[in-house]
Amino acid sequence: MGCGQTSVSELFQRCEVALDLHPNTAVADAGGEEVLSSIGAADFRYVALVRDPVERFLSGYHELWARLAGLNLSRAALRRCLRSLGGRAGCENIAPEDPTYRALAESAFFDWPVDVYAERTVLAVLHEVSRVVWPGSCTTELKTHARSLNHLFPQTWLIGRGAARMVVGPDIFVGSRFGAWPDVVLRAERLEEDVAALFASLNVSAAECPATGLRRLNANAVNVGVLKGGDVLALDRAQLRRQLLTGRARRSFCRLFAADFLYLGYEDAWQEHCAEALGHSLELRAEGRLLHLVLPPLPESARGSPEKKKKKKKKKKKKKKK
């Protein structure tokens, strides 16, 4: 998730006895019932940590290009490294057997150097994320995506896939007995407040597990992309934000991350950044136990009937004749 993740991990580890922690993978698989039985647990809470979709994308985009800049290889050079099985000069950091490098070499967005602020680059990355995320499989770790692209996967996809038995569409997860959606969502923007509410619901006192003054332990995580000369890839977040929330990039981003806005408690951010850009808001719709997002139909007045459209065309032709 970013700078909040290791802060919460540290807190939970410090409070492990009081919280009786177990990783979600231990209870979400086929043997989950046996795991719960073996630890004597009658119930559990599935907790997920999330972040504002815009801020998370900016952070993940920086992380992606910092890591790729650290390779310091063009697409053509990367392909030569893969063909030579890493035996060429400059290929020392490439593991040819790693499928993420091969996926990177074939992806539409990758080359280096590249203008990371250009609309075409932002759109290409968004398209690649959309292409590899949907449809997904929940039985194995996804290994077909380009290297480091996972930093940009939608949070709803990652959360649902972590506990789901099957993914049947871009907005529908079929859960196991344990469900595919968290019982508790912790938002990085109000982390201490959300953690305190969680602990209170579990009857864990502040004395046992203080949730104040959480440190942002990996705030400098983007410093992984070290270029020649020891410099780290710098990125102007304000400039990138302007590009992301403008024109075609904004529409593509909002469609791809709509569930993150509307399922994780960022409805106000959706209205600010996306509702106007897409011309309308998305609706939550329930079908049995499934809850998913749909595009509401445009009102008849906005669509216009076929007869009205014909009349408009005739009026335009008459004006031209005059």
Side-chain angles (χ1 to χ4, degrees):
M1 186 279 325
C3 60
Q5 184 170 9
T6 52
S7 305
V8 172
S9 297
E10 183 193 57
L11 173 65
F12 281 8
Q13 288 165 15
R14 194 168 68 233
C15 306
E16 184 173 2
V17 175
L19 295 175
D20 192 17
L21 293 175
H22 299 274
N24 68 304
T25 50
V27 295
D29 61 14
E33 291 187 45
E34 289 77 8
V35 172
L36 286 179
S37 177
S38 68
I39 62 179
D43 195 11
F44 69 96
R45 304 285 179 89
Y46 181 13
V47 180
L49 179 64
V50 299
R51 188 178 182 183
D52 176 272
V54 174
E55 297 306 317
R56 182 177 179 273
F57 183 89
L58 298 178
S59 176
Y61 190 86
H62 192 178
E63 188 87 8
L64 168 71
W65 285 110
R67 291 177 181 271
L68 298 183
L71 296 177
N72 201 32
L73 293 171
S74 66
R75 179 199 295 272
L78 177 58
R79 286 176 171 171
R80 287 194 294 271
C81 288
L82 294 172
R83 284 196 298 269
S84 67
L85 301 180
R88 298 172 63 98
C91 302
E92 296 81 7
N93 295 325
I94 302 299
E97 70 279 2
D98 186 338
T100 64
Y101 283 112
R102 297 191 178 277
L104 178 64
E106 299 306 316
S107 66
F109 78 91
F110 173 67
D111 208 345
W112 188 259
V114 68
D115 182 358
V116 296
Y117 304 105
E119 182 189 54
R120 63 180 180 278
T121 305
V122 175
L123 284 170
V125 169
L126 288 167
H127 175 75
E128 186 70 10
V129 172
S130 178
R131 186 186 70 81
V132 301
V133 167
W134 306 116
S137 169
C138 300
T139 57
T140 59
E141 180 67 19
L142 184 69
K143 288 294 184 184
T144 56
H145 63 82
R147 190 164 189 81
S148 300
L149 195 70
N150 55 297
H151 294 284
L152 292 168
F153 287 175
Q155 296 169 99
T156 44
W157 186 87
L158 293 168
I159 291 169
R161 183 176 176 274
R165 176 167 52 83
M166 184 188 308
V167 177
V168 296
D171 51 10
I172 300 175
F173 298 95
V174 179
S176 66
R177 173 183 176 277
F178 305 101
W181 199 248
D183 301 295
V184 179
V185 172
L186 306 178
R187 289 157 292 184
E189 296 75 23
R190 45 183 296 175
L191 190 55
E192 292 186 3
E193 182 181 341
D194 285 352
V195 169
L198 168 63
F199 287 177
S201 71
L202 298 173
N203 293 320
V204 175
S205 69
E208 290 179 285
C209 208
T212 57
L214 299 178
R215 295 185 298 152
R216 304 295 177 169
L217 296 176
N218 62 340
N220 296 319
V222 294
N223 291 352
V224 295
V226 181
L227 308 175
K228 286 185 177 180
D231 295 328
V232 174
L233 177 71
L235 189 146
D236 185 335
R237 295 278 180 96
Q239 182 178 348
L240 177 59
R241 171 188 278 271
R242 287 192 296 271
Q243 183 58 265
L244 177 66
L245 298 177
T246 302
R248 293 186 299 164
R250 177 164 67 152
R251 290 191 293 273
S252 179
F253 168 73
C254 288
R255 289 191 182 99
L256 179 57
F257 291 90
D260 280 11
F261 282 100
L262 298 173
Y263 278 84
L264 301 178
Y266 295 100
E267 294 88 350
D268 290 344
W270 169 268
Q271 292 300 325
E272 178 184 354
H273 301 305
C274 297
E276 183 180 354
L278 296 183
H280 45 69
S281 296
L282 295 179
E283 292 178 350
L284 290 173
R285 182 170 298 174
E287 294 182 7
R289 294 181 63 190
L290 294 177
L291 184 68
H292 57 101
L293 297 169
V294 296
L295 295 171
L298 290 173
E300 188 66 31
S301 58
R303 291 199 303 267
S305 65
E307 291 182 3
K308 286 182 179 179
K309 289 180 180 179
K310 288 180 181 178
K311 289 180 180 179
K312 285 182 179 179
K313 286 183 179 179
K314 287 181 180 179
K315 285 181 180 179
K316 286 182 180 179
K317 287 181 180 179
K318 287 180 181 178
K319 287 181 179 179
K320 287 181 180 179
K321 288 179 181 179
K322 291 179 180 179

